[in-house]
């Protein structure tokens, strides 16, 4: 079955594609999707001492929380004094309220220790959408080092996703990717006859669904660049079989670069990743406009572009100190979610486009 309405001429196909592409491109620019590949993911590092002192150091992009780059730039000019400045007290309190440290069914309130805003950035860099100044915030709490603890970051604060949480003690280290409102795995810093490996293994299996959901959200609605690329593939494929094959190939290629990041096999030039992703979208778009009467998308092209798109997420992971143990299952779960999100979007696009082509107002404009 063809993906295109046979009675729509070349000029109409170009008009139809231009409408869809222009709409998605406008949404892509409006949402600042240069950050869609998680270059500005939140990084959390919690260390528990034998005495029960938990220190949580966070690296976060506060642009969304502060409602724009200008306000973020103003914060950066204060330096460490931003922690006590009255203008930002509500934000720090919101952050503290959003951090849930749970032990034995009780919540432990953290205390703000220090704030180190980003330094060395110009005003233009805070508003460009192609740099990601990170603020370092440190909080502390008193915990029982022999009891399991969990940490959750609530969505009441604008944490950039995913949240990379590392829990560490003298001889233990656990790193997991979370989404807001998702509890971390149980972590016992200094166990007394408790097998933390068993606890962690059980929680890891239970959390696979969360990573699948995160993969789907990475496409819909967060990955507008993915949606633009899928739109190009949809309008350039010959039939459904070829389309599903191309989308699946794109997912496999995306997975390869995520795996490379997990094992740090190849350094990723992050400064060029986002620019090349935009180029890949424009490449397919121009090919569709110039070759609307024949198939213009080849599998090798999709494979290369899939590797490229995967580098966006990979570059963020590569900057973290994430142990590869157990990462394979997380990677598989995440990419199952990516595939679900991509195929779901394609199905929705087919329904919307099929409905639109039955309407007189649409057919008049594409003929």
């Amino acid at each position: 079955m063809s993906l295109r309405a046979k009675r729509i001429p070349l000029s109409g196909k170009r008009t139809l594609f231009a409408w869809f592409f222009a709409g998605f491109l406008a949404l892509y620019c409006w949402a600042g999707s240069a950050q869609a590949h998680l270059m500005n993911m939140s990084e959390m590092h919690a260390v528990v001492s034998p005495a029960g002192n938990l220190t949580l150091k966070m690296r976060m992009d506060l642009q969304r929380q502060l409602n724009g780059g200008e306000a973020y730039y103003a914060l950066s000019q204060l330096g460490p004094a931003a922690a006590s400045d009255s203008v930002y007290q509500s934000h720090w309190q919101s952050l503290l309220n959003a951090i849930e440290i749970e032990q034995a069914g009780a919540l432990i309130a953290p205390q703000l220790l220090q704030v180190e805003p980003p330094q060395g950035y110009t005003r233009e860099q805070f508003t460009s959408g192609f740099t990601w100044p990170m603020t370092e915030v440190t909080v502390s709490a008193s915990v029982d080092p022999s009891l399991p603890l969990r940490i959750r970051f609530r969505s009441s604060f604008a944490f950039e996703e995913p949240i990379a949480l590392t829990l560490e003690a003298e001889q233990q280290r656990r790193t997991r990717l979370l989404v807001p409102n998702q509890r971390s795995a149980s972590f016992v810093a200094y166990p007394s006859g408790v097998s933390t490996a068993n606890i962690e293994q059980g929680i890891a299996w239970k959390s696979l669904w969360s990573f699948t959901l995160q993969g789907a959200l990475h496409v819909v609605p967060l990955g507008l660049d993915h949606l633009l690329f899928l739109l190009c593939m949809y309008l350039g494929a010959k039939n459904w079989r070829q389309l599903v094959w191309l989308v699946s190939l794109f997912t496999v290629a995306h997975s390869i670069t995520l795996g490379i990041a997990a094992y740090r096999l190849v350094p990723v030039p992050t400064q060029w990743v986002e620019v090349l992703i935009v180029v890949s979208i424009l490449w397919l778009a121009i090919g569709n406009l110039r070759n609307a009467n024949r198939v213009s998308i080849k599998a090798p092209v999709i494979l290369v572009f899939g590797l490229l798109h995967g580098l966006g997420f990979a570059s963020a992971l590569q900057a973290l100190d994430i142990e590869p143990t157990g990462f394979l299952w997380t990677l598989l779960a995440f990419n199952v979610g990516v595939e679900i999100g991509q195929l779901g979007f394609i199905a929705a696009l087919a329904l919307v486009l099929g409905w639109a082509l039955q309407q007189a107002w649409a057919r008049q404009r594409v003929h």
Side-chain angles (χ1 to χ4, degrees):
M1 179 176 63
S2 175
L3 291 173
R4 301 172 178 174
K6 296 181 178 179
R7 290 187 294 172
I8 298 179
L10 174 60
S11 60
K13 291 174 184 176
R14 288 176 173 171
T15 302
L16 185 64
F17 177 82
W19 281 3
F20 272 83
F21 188 78
F24 274 97
L25 185 60
L27 186 59
Y28 176 69
C29 296
W30 172 80
S33 288
Q35 299 185 15
H37 276 98
L38 316 178
M39 301 283 194
N40 61 335
M41 66 192 299
S42 303
E43 304 171 26
M44 315 299 194
H45 191 169
V47 178
V48 181
S49 72
N53 296 319
L54 183 150
T55 303
L56 177 61
K57 294 185 177 181
M58 300 174 281
R59 294 186 71 251
M60 300 178 293
D61 182 352
L62 299 182
Q63 180 171 327
R64 282 200 305 125
Q65 175 65 27
L66 298 176
N67 297 316
E70 289 290 345
Y72 197 10
Y73 174 75
L75 170 73
S76 71
Q77 299 308 293
L78 295 175
S84 57
D85 191 281
S86 59
V87 174
Y88 301 100
Q89 289 307 300
S90 61
H91 293 288
W92 308 139
Q93 189 58 52
S94 176
L95 173 61
L96 294 175
N97 293 340
I99 302 172
E100 289 190 356
I101 304 170
E102 180 184 351
Q103 261 193 333
L107 297 180
I108 301 171
Q111 303 294 321
L112 182 67
L113 291 184
Q114 65 181 16
V115 176
E116 298 181 16
Q119 301 295 310
Y121 292 89
T122 65
R123 181 191 298 269
E124 290 72 21
Q125 287 177 307
F126 275 88
T127 58
S128 70
F130 288 94
T131 55
W132 303 272
M134 306 294 278
T135 294
E136 297 187 4
V137 180
T138 305
V139 303
S140 66
S142 296
V143 301
D144 187 331
S146 66
L147 293 179
L149 67 83
R150 293 184 180 183
I151 299 180
R152 176 166 63 172
F153 301 93
R154 299 190 64 87
S155 57
S156 55
F157 189 88
F159 295 105
E160 296 295 342
E161 300 182 38
I163 300 170
L165 172 64
T166 297
L167 291 165
E168 184 176 357
E170 280 186 348
Q171 297 181 351
Q172 295 189 71
R173 185 186 183 89
R174 298 285 186 272
T175 299
R176 290 290 182 268
L177 297 180
L178 307 174
V179 294
N181 301 317
Q182 177 188 358
R183 287 185 177 87
S184 71
S186 293
F187 180 79
V188 183
Y190 301 91
S192 299
V194 178
S195 175
T196 54
N198 291 337
I199 294 175
E200 180 67 21
Q201 185 178 16
I203 296 298
W205 279 102
K206 292 179 182 178
S207 65
L208 286 181
W209 165 246
S210 297
F211 291 109
T212 301
L213 177 60
Q214 182 179 318
L217 292 176
H218 181 61
V219 178
V220 182
L222 300 178
L224 291 177
D225 58 333
H226 279 292
L227 302 185
L228 281 169
F229 198 85
L230 289 169
L231 175 63
C232 292
M233 284 196 288
Y234 176 86
L235 294 176
K238 180 179 180 180
N239 52 47
W240 280 105
R241 177 176 296 180
Q242 185 194 43
L243 178 63
V244 173
W245 157 245
L246 291 176
V247 172
S248 299
L249 182 63
F250 182 71
T251 301
V252 170
H254 192 270
S255 304
I256 290 173
T257 43
L258 289 181
I260 288 174
Y263 295 97
R264 296 174 175 81
L265 300 179
V266 177
V268 178
T270 58
Q271 66 271 25
W272 293 104
V273 169
E274 298 299 331
V275 174
L276 292 176
I277 287 174
V278 173
V279 170
S280 73
I281 297 171
L282 292 176
W283 180 288
L284 287 191
I286 293 172
N288 280 348
L289 290 174
R290 295 181 60 185
N291 305 284
N293 276 339
R294 69 177 189 272
V295 178
S296 58
I297 301 180
K298 303 298 182 183
V301 175
I302 297 300
L303 179 63
V304 172
F305 287 165
L307 292 171
L308 177 62
H309 280 242
L311 286 179
F313 188 79
S315 59
L317 289 183
Q318 205 170 45
L320 303 176
D321 186 19
I322 297 180
E323 296 181 353
T325 304
F327 190 84
L328 177 60
W329 291 110
T330 299
L331 180 67
L332 291 174
F334 179 86
N335 280 284
V336 167
V338 169
E339 184 77 347
I340 292 173
Q342 291 181 157
L343 295 179
F345 172 74
I346 290 293
L349 185 61
L351 289 175
V352 171
L353 190 57
W355 172 84
L357 292 177
Q358 301 301 317
Q359 310 304 309
W361 58 267
R363 296 196 64 81
Q364 290 174 359
R365 287 169 172 78
V366 298
H367 274 76

